[in-house]
Amino acid sequence: MSVTTSATIASFGGKLLKLAHNSSVIGGEMKFNLYLPPQASNGGSKIPLLIYLSGLTCTGDNCSEKGFFQHGASKRGIAVLYPDTSPRGFGIKGEDDAYDFGSGAGFYVDATAEPWSKNYKMYSYITDELPKTVFSAFDQLDSSKVSITGHSMGGHGALSLYLKNPGKYKSVSAFAPISNPLKAPWGEKAFKGYFGEDDWQKKGAEHDSTELLKKWKGGDLDILIDVGTGDNFYKQGQLLPENFQAAAKEIGQEKGVHVRFQPDYDHSYYTMATFADDHIDHAAKYLFA
Amino acid sequence: MSVTTSATIASFGGKLLKLAHNSSVIGGEMKFNLYLPPQASNGGSKIPLLIYLSGLTCTGDNCSEKGFFQHGASKRGIAVLYPDTSPRGFGIKGEDDAYDFGSGAGFYVDATAEPWSKNYKMYSYITDELPKTVFSAFDQLDSSKVSITGHSMGGHGALSLYLKNPGKYKSVSAFAPISNPLKAPWGEKAFKGYFGEDDWQKKGAEHDSTELLKKWKGGDLDILIDVGTGDNFYKQGQLLPENFQAAAKEIGQEKGVHVRFQPDYDHSYYTMATFADDHIDHAAKYLFA
C-alpha cells in the first residue's frame, strides 16, 4: 500500500501531490493526484475527501489543472482525490486503439471479458483499494467522510458508484454524466467490450445509473447535475440526463435530482471551472453535516 | 482589421472567444483569445480591458484554460485579452529550433536583426495594432481603460510595456517576471538574436524593466509582482526580481513595487490560478478608479 510522490505543487494555499502506487487489484502501477487543502496541515480535525472521477481520455492531471476544484476545496477544507481513468501500458492488444475504449476509458466497471478482465477492474479499484491506500498513507484524512463527483464517463462513475453503495458516500454530484450508458453509443461499446457481447446488457444494467436509480431504496436523494446545452455529446445522445430524471420521477425522487441545464456551456473543463465551487459546496453540505 | 471567430465558449457567465486576424505589423495571421465577462452583454457601461501576456512556449490558450483569470474578471466586469507570444509558421530558418527563441518566444520587442526583423514585431503588435483591432471589433470595450499583466516572459512584457509608455496602461502586475533580462540567460539569448550581437545591450536596455525603472519619471508606482520561492527559474537567476526591487529603491519608489515571495509556489499555472483574483483586483482598483 506504499505511495510514492513524484511532485508536490503549491496550489490555493494547500498542496497538490502527484502520486503513484502499485495496485494489486489492477496488477501494476497506477498514478493519481491528491489535493490537500491548507487545513490538512494545521493539526486540527481530520478532513473529508471528495473523489473526482475523470472522463474519457483524461488522467488525474486534467481536472487538477483546469477544473478549479482546488479553489473551493481550499476554502472549505476538503481534500480532492483525482484517480486515473484506466489501467495503462499493460500491452493488452487493442488497449490504445480508440479514445473511448481501453486506455483512458475504464468506465468504472470490473471487466469480465477477455482480455480485459485481468487488469480492467476500475470499480474495485475506485471503491476499495485506492481509498484504502490513500487513507493509510494520509492519516489527516477522515475515511468516514467521503463524497464523489465526476465528469462525463466520470459522472457515470460517480452516480453509479453512489447508487450501488448506499451510505458509502456522503453525497454525489456530476458534470455532463453519461446517465444511461445502456442507451448511449459510448456505454454500449464499453459494456460490450468489458462484459462481452452476450452479457453486456445484464451486467451493464448493474452499472447504469438510470437503471440503478429505478431500484434505489437508500432514502431521499439530493443529486446535483450540471449539463451544458451547448455540449455536443449531450446533443448526440451520449449523456441522456432526461432518462435519469424520468427514473427519478418514476420512484418519486424527482425533487432529489437537480439537473441544471446551463445555457450554452459545452463539454469542456471551462464548464467545470465555472461551476466547480457549486459542486464543492454541495459536497461540503454533507461532508460537514 | 477584421476579426474571425473560430469558437465561442461559455465561461464564468461570460464568453471566451477564440479569434484570429490578419496582422499587417506581423505580416500574417495572428490568433488570440478574448474573454468577455457577463457585463459585456448587458448593454450597460463600456467595460475595461486587462491584457495578459503569456510566457515562453505558450499561446493565448494556456492561461485561458488554466490561469483562472476569468473567475475574477467575471465578478469585476473586466474583459481579458490573451495574445499569442510570437509570429508563427513564417518558415524563418530556425524559428522552431528552441523553446526560448523564435516561435513562442517573441519577447515583446520589435526585432531589428535579420531574419527576424520582418515579422517579429511583437512590441508594436501588442502596444498598438492588436488593441486597435480589438476595440474596433468589440465596441462594448472601453479603449481608455486598459491594464496589463503577464507571466514570466509575459511578466517582462507587462512591466516593460508599462514603463515604456507612461499613462498608456492604468495599472501593471506580473507573475514571475523576467525582471532584468539583460542579466538573465533567457533575456541575453533573445536580445542577441532579435537585436544582433553588436546592439543587444543598448537596444535590450530599452526593453529591460530594471533599466527602464531606473529612468522612470511617470509618478508614483503601484506594481504587484508574485514570485514563488519554489520557482526553479527564479532559483536559476532567470527572473531577478531583487534587481527590480533595488532599482525601485534607487529611485525612491520602493513602496510602489510590491514583490510577494510566495512560499513553495512554482513557475506553473497552479501559481497563477491561486493568485489570479489578486491580480484582477489590483487591475480593478485602477480600471474603475
Side-chain angles (χ1 to χ4, degrees):
Chain A
M1 307 272 274
S2 77
V3 168
T4 56
T5 307
S6 62
T8 301
I9 301 165
S11 171
F12 288 103
K15 291 172 190 166
L16 181 73
L17 306 176
K18 302 227 164 189
L19 305 166
H21 72 131
N22 195 4
S23 163
S24 51
V25 169
I26 301 295
E29 189 189 75
M30 290 291 283
K31 293 180 178 172
F32 61 101
N33 296 332
L34 178 66
Y35 178 67
L36 295 176
Q39 296 85 346
S41 305
N42 67 9
S45 315
K46 290 199 177 201
I47 60 165
L49 179 70
L50 176 63
I51 301 174
Y52 170 89
L53 301 180
S54 297
L56 288 167
T57 78
C58 293
T59 69
D61 289 347
N62 305 69
C63 190
S64 72
E65 291 174 0
K66 303 194 244 182
F68 210 39
F69 277 76
Q70 285 110 251
H71 177 261
S74 166
K75 288 192 180 166
R76 304 300 297 254
I78 297 172
V80 186
L81 175 62
Y82 302 98
D84 204 347
T85 51
S86 75
R88 290 179 192 271
F90 284 87
I92 302 169
K93 192 174 178 231
E95 69 184 0
D96 295 326
D97 288 359
Y99 82 96
D100 56 0
F101 189 77
S103 297
F107 259 86
Y108 308 103
V109 300
D110 286 351
T112 55
E114 295 301 321
W116 311 102
S117 57
K118 188 178 171 198
N119 306 110
Y120 276 67
K121 296 183 174 172
M122 290 300 289
Y123 177 79
S124 297
Y125 176 69
I126 298 291
T127 55
D128 186 47
E129 189 189 32
L130 179 60
K132 275 186 184 155
T133 302
V134 168
F135 291 124
S136 167
F138 298 93
D139 65 3
Q140 63 271 59
L141 301 183
D142 185 343
S143 64
S144 73
K145 293 186 177 171
V146 181
S147 283
I148 194 161
T149 186
H151 171 234
S152 194
M153 177 183 74
H156 142 71
L159 293 173
S160 61
L161 268 53
Y162 179 88
L163 294 169
K164 281 173 76 68
N165 297 279
K168 187 176 185 72
Y169 304 104
K170 297 294 182 190
S171 67
V172 64
S173 71
F175 291 88
I178 304 172
S179 309
N180 192 182
L182 281 173
K183 300 204 170 161
W186 279 338
E188 183 174 335
K189 179 176 180 179
F191 290 167
K192 281 182 174 169
Y194 294 130
F195 298 136
E197 292 281 343
D198 295 336
D199 270 354
W200 74 275
Q201 286 181 300
K202 182 165 167 284
K203 288 187 178 158
E206 295 167 21
H207 293 272
D208 181 296
S209 298
T210 295
E211 293 303 316
L212 291 166
L213 183 55
K214 289 177 187 168
K215 298 176 186 165
W216 175 254
K217 308 274 186 239
D220 284 349
L221 292 168
D222 181 8
I223 300 177
L224 171 64
I225 295 174
D226 278 316
V227 180
T229 63
D231 183 328
N232 283 329
F233 299 115
Y234 168 58
K235 294 178 193 171
Q236 290 164 17
Q238 294 280 19
L239 310 181
L240 305 170
E242 293 85 355
N243 294 7
F244 193 73
Q245 288 180 302
K249 194 167 185 184
E250 193 177 311
I251 62 161
Q253 290 267 8
E254 65 269 31
K255 288 187 181 168
V257 173
H258 311 276
V259 181
R260 308 191 303 187
F261 289 96
Q262 302 288 3
D264 299 333
Y265 281 84
D266 66 16
H267 201 68
S268 77
Y269 285 91
Y270 288 110
T271 301
M272 274 179 284
T274 301
F275 301 107
D277 279 357
D278 292 351
H279 288 245
I280 290 283
D281 288 347
H282 180 76
K285 193 166 126 190
Y286 294 94
L287 291 171
F288 296 110
Chain B
M1 306 271 278
S2 77
V3 168
T4 56
T5 307
S6 62
T8 300
I9 301 165
S11 171
F12 288 104
K15 291 172 191 168
L16 181 73
L17 307 176
K18 302 225 164 189
L19 304 166
H21 72 131
N22 195 4
S23 163
S24 52
V25 168
I26 301 294
E29 188 189 75
M30 290 291 284
K31 293 180 178 171
F32 61 100
N33 295 332
L34 178 67
Y35 178 66
L36 295 176
Q39 296 86 346
S41 305
N42 66 9
S45 314
K46 289 198 177 201
I47 61 166
L49 179 70
L50 176 63
I51 300 174
Y52 170 89
L53 301 180
S54 296
L56 289 167
T57 77
C58 293
T59 68
D61 289 347
N62 304 70
C63 190
S64 72
E65 290 174 0
K66 301 194 234 182
F68 296 113
F69 277 76
Q70 284 110 252
H71 177 261
S74 166
K75 287 192 180 167
R76 306 299 297 253
I78 297 172
V80 185
L81 175 62
Y82 302 99
D84 204 347
T85 50
S86 74
R88 292 181 191 270
F90 283 87
I92 302 170
K93 193 174 177 230
E95 69 186 0
D96 294 326
D97 288 359
Y99 81 97
D100 55 1
F101 189 78
S103 296
F107 260 85
Y108 307 104
V109 299
D110 287 351
T112 54
E114 295 301 320
W116 311 102
S117 57
K118 186 177 172 200
N119 306 110
Y120 275 68
K121 295 183 174 171
M122 289 300 289
Y123 178 79
S124 296
Y125 176 68
I126 298 291
T127 55
D128 186 48
E129 188 189 34
L130 179 61
K132 274 186 186 156
T133 302
V134 168
F135 291 122
S136 166
F138 298 93
D139 66 3
Q140 63 270 62
L141 302 183
D142 184 344
S143 64
S144 73
K145 293 186 176 171
V146 180
S147 283
I148 193 161
T149 186
H151 171 234
S152 194
M153 176 183 74
H156 142 72
L159 293 174
S160 61
L161 268 53
Y162 180 87
L163 294 169
K164 282 172 77 67
N165 298 279
K168 187 175 185 73
Y169 304 104
K170 297 293 182 190
S171 67
V172 64
S173 71
F175 292 88
I178 304 172
S179 308
N180 191 183
L182 281 173
K183 299 204 172 161
W186 278 339
E188 183 175 334
K189 179 177 180 178
F191 289 167
K192 280 182 175 169
Y194 294 130
F195 298 135
E197 292 281 342
D198 296 335
D199 269 354
W200 74 275
Q201 286 182 298
K202 181 165 170 284
K203 286 187 179 158
E206 295 168 22
H207 294 271
D208 181 295
S209 298
T210 295
E211 292 303 315
L212 291 166
L213 183 54
K214 289 177 187 169
K215 297 178 186 164
W216 175 255
K217 309 272 185 240
D220 284 349
L221 292 169
D222 181 9
I223 300 177
L224 172 64
I225 296 175
D226 278 317
V227 181
T229 64
D231 183 328
N232 283 329
F233 299 115
Y234 168 58
K235 295 177 193 172
Q236 290 165 16
Q238 295 280 19
L239 310 181
L240 305 171
E242 293 85 353
N243 294 6
F244 192 73
Q245 288 180 300
K249 194 165 183 184
E250 195 178 311
I251 62 161
Q253 290 268 7
E254 66 269 31
K255 288 186 180 167
V257 174
H258 311 276
V259 181
R260 308 191 304 187
F261 289 96
Q262 302 288 2
D264 300 333
Y265 281 84
D266 66 16
H267 201 69
S268 77
Y269 285 91
Y270 287 111
T271 302
M272 273 179 285
T274 300
F275 302 107
D277 279 358
D278 292 352
H279 288 245
I280 289 284
D281 288 347
H282 179 77
K285 193 166 126 189
Y286 294 94
L287 290 171
F288 295 110

